[in-house]
Amino acid sequence: MKILVINCGSATIKADVFTQENGELRFSGKSLAENFSDYKEAILGIVADFEKRGVLKSEELTAIGHRVVHGGLKFFEPVLINNEVIQTIREYCIFAPLHNPANLAGIECSMERFKVPQVAVFDTAFHQTMPPVATTYAIPPVLSKKYDIRRYGFHGHSHEYVTRECAKQMNIPYNEFNAISLHLGNGASICCVRGGKSVDTSMGFTPLEGLVMGSRSGDIDAGLLLFLQEAEKLSPKEMDTLLNKESGLKGLCGTNDMRTIEKRAAEGDADATLALEIFVARVRKYVGAYLMHGKPHAIVFTAGIGENSKTIREKICANLEHLNLPPVVVIKTDEEKMIAEATLSLLGR
Ligand code: ADP
């Protein structure tokens, strides 16, 4: 059994081929595309490369799993893709303007290329266990009902994967496992896991809420948005570009690459130093809030910054000795494996 996983992000495409052997999923091919101008061309290039390497033969392919960021209230569970599903994902582009259009490009291209079942797996799925106190915004409920407004949360595959792996490593049954999971990449979010379930997370209605990210502002005073809209006469689209693409680390110091920021900060660059400190301070604010849920078994770091930057991990965990904190664990995330598992389990049903 072979499963192709396509994870079309806002700036990258990650693709994996998984083979099921003796009930175990093993990846047999991994590919990453960056700096491409056309999704279709990039995906077809990846597929051609898999075929050339002998990793993927069309006749062996069982199914394709796609990462989809926002499934709104309609989709939390994995779903077999048909025209109606595509239409709904398209409608939710307005909720995740950086991601859902990219996810759709991947789906449409691979539906044209392959005639096997294709499954959409949603980033929001893991967070459906969040209680109303964590999902509800303090706005009139009539509006929330009308537009399906609530906190959804994202990076679900990653938070679930790394906390499951961590529980395994610590020999604790997952349904008893408590953790704070920090996914710090270009997109970044924190999740509070209690008893193997997400009870709160930093991203909300869209992937814009919460931490300071590569080019996203994260939490911001809503009053400031109203002010800027008026003062700068910005349209909704311009506001979207400002907050999603021109803010965050990039807005603060001109680059979203944490390696460059760390290097510049070490050389005494004031903008880079401030950007780095703001990034760390926002993370610490959330860690502090999630510690109020009770002592976790572990604090888990993952994704580009979380996995690779010892400096940032140390800054985030500084001066917490008085809390007699749990181990800090680094686990390489594998969203694609979670997507492959979800795809197989849907087909099994
Ligand atoms: P994406 O959300 O695009 O998948 P990644 O998880 O790949 O992002 O993370 C990208 C971020 O990780 C970038 O800011 C990059 O600079 C940072 N990063 C990667 N390696 C390192 C490193 N060795 N030290 C510090 N930051 C790193």
Side-chain angles (χ1 to χ4, degrees):
M1 257 207 202
K2 278 205 177 190
I3 306 283
L4 169 65
V5 172
I6 298 180
N7 176 353
C8 268
S10 52
T12 58
I13 301 173
K14 293 174 186 157
D16 273 16
V17 180
F18 289 87
T19 309
Q20 198 183 33
E21 283 164 15
N22 309 325
E24 280 267 311
L25 264 185
R26 296 184 190 290
F27 79 82
S28 39
K30 228 180 203 345
S31 187
L32 171 73
E34 286 172 299
N35 304 322
F36 49 87
S37 53
D38 183 75
Y39 277 95
K40 187 171 173 183
E41 207 176 287
I43 290 172
L44 292 179
I46 289 173
V47 168
D49 180 54
F50 279 150
E51 287 174 334
K52 205 166 108 199
R53 282 156 53 196
V55 176
L56 181 70
K57 296 191 180 94
S58 293
E59 64 276 15
E60 288 175 2
L61 191 62
T62 316
I64 303 177
H66 293 272
R67 174 190 180 202
V68 177
V69 165
H70 215 308
L73 275 188
K74 267 237 175 86
F75 302 124
F76 284 106
E77 298 302 329
V79 58
L80 205 56
I81 300 174
N82 57 26
N83 286 339
E84 205 184 324
V85 171
I86 291 181
Q87 188 48 34
T88 310
I89 295 171
R90 184 165 293 123
E91 280 162 23
Y92 286 129
C93 282
I94 190 157
F95 289 0
L98 283 188
H99 297 94
N100 270 31
N103 307 152
L104 269 177
I107 290 173
E108 286 177 332
C109 164
S110 69
M111 298 244 331
E112 253 176 54
R113 176 72 170 68
F114 296 104
K115 299 295 165 221
V116 294
Q118 314 226 3
V119 174
V121 181
F122 298 91
D123 253 41
T124 43
F126 182 59
H127 301 297
Q128 63 181 307
T129 49
M130 290 196 299
V133 68
T135 59
T136 312
Y137 286 105
I139 58 170
V142 63
L143 282 176
S144 299
K145 277 220 176 69
K146 186 171 176 188
Y147 297 108
D148 294 350
I149 295 170
R150 49 165 269 167
R151 302 188 66 257
Y152 288 93
F154 303 89
H155 288 143
H157 312 302
S158 180
H159 290 303
E160 185 176 0
Y161 179 80
V162 298
T163 51
R164 268 186 195 283
E165 284 299 308
C166 187
K168 239 189 264 170
Q169 286 178 15
M170 295 177 79
N171 256 325
I172 299 170
Y174 192 56
N175 62 5
E176 292 170 18
F177 190 62
N178 304 322
I180 299 178
S181 166
L182 290 81
H183 177 110
L184 308 179
N186 253 321
S189 73
I190 305 198
C191 179
C192 181
V193 172
R194 305 294 298 177
K197 292 192 167 84
S198 166
V199 297
D200 204 354
T201 191
S202 56
M203 284 178 169
F205 177 59
T206 74
L208 181 54
E209 192 178 338
L211 304 181
V212 172
M213 304 178 221
S215 64
R216 284 174 248 170
S217 64
D219 292 340
I220 199 166
D221 179 355
L224 171 58
L225 305 187
L226 303 177
F227 169 80
L228 277 176
Q229 222 166 353
E230 273 294 312
E232 290 282 305
K233 302 279 173 269
L234 297 176
S235 67
K237 189 141 188 49
E238 287 166 326
M239 288 297 287
D240 181 80
T241 305
L242 172 69
L243 297 168
N244 274 304
K245 299 193 174 155
E246 295 168 355
S247 296
L249 296 170
K250 188 174 165 200
L252 286 167
C253 71
T255 174
N256 60 349
D257 187 334
M258 190 52 95
R259 283 162 292 201
T260 311
I261 296 173
E262 279 188 35
K263 187 163 169 285
R264 275 174 46 192
E267 290 162 0
D269 179 309
D271 290 344
T273 304
L274 183 62
L276 199 150
E277 295 300 337
I278 294 172
F279 176 87
V280 168
R282 184 76 55 84
V283 174
R284 283 169 61 85
K285 201 164 162 177
Y286 274 93
V287 171
Y290 291 169
L291 283 172
M292 297 302 281
H293 285 262
K295 189 169 170 175
H297 292 110
I299 294 183
V300 190
F301 281 89
T302 194
I305 300 170
E307 287 165 27
N308 298 301
S309 176
K310 188 159 177 272
T311 317
I312 301 267
R313 289 197 302 268
E314 282 175 354
K315 278 181 179 292
I316 290 171
C317 297
N319 307 321
L320 296 179
E321 294 80 9
H322 64 288
L323 292 172
N324 189 18
L325 268 188
V328 171
V329 183
V330 179
I331 294 183
K332 189 169 163 36
T333 193
D334 196 343
E335 293 171 293
E336 289 71 32
K337 191 169 181 198
M338 292 297 298
I339 296 167
E341 280 175 6
T343 302
L344 268 177
S345 104
L346 176 86
L347 293 180
R349 271 183 267 137

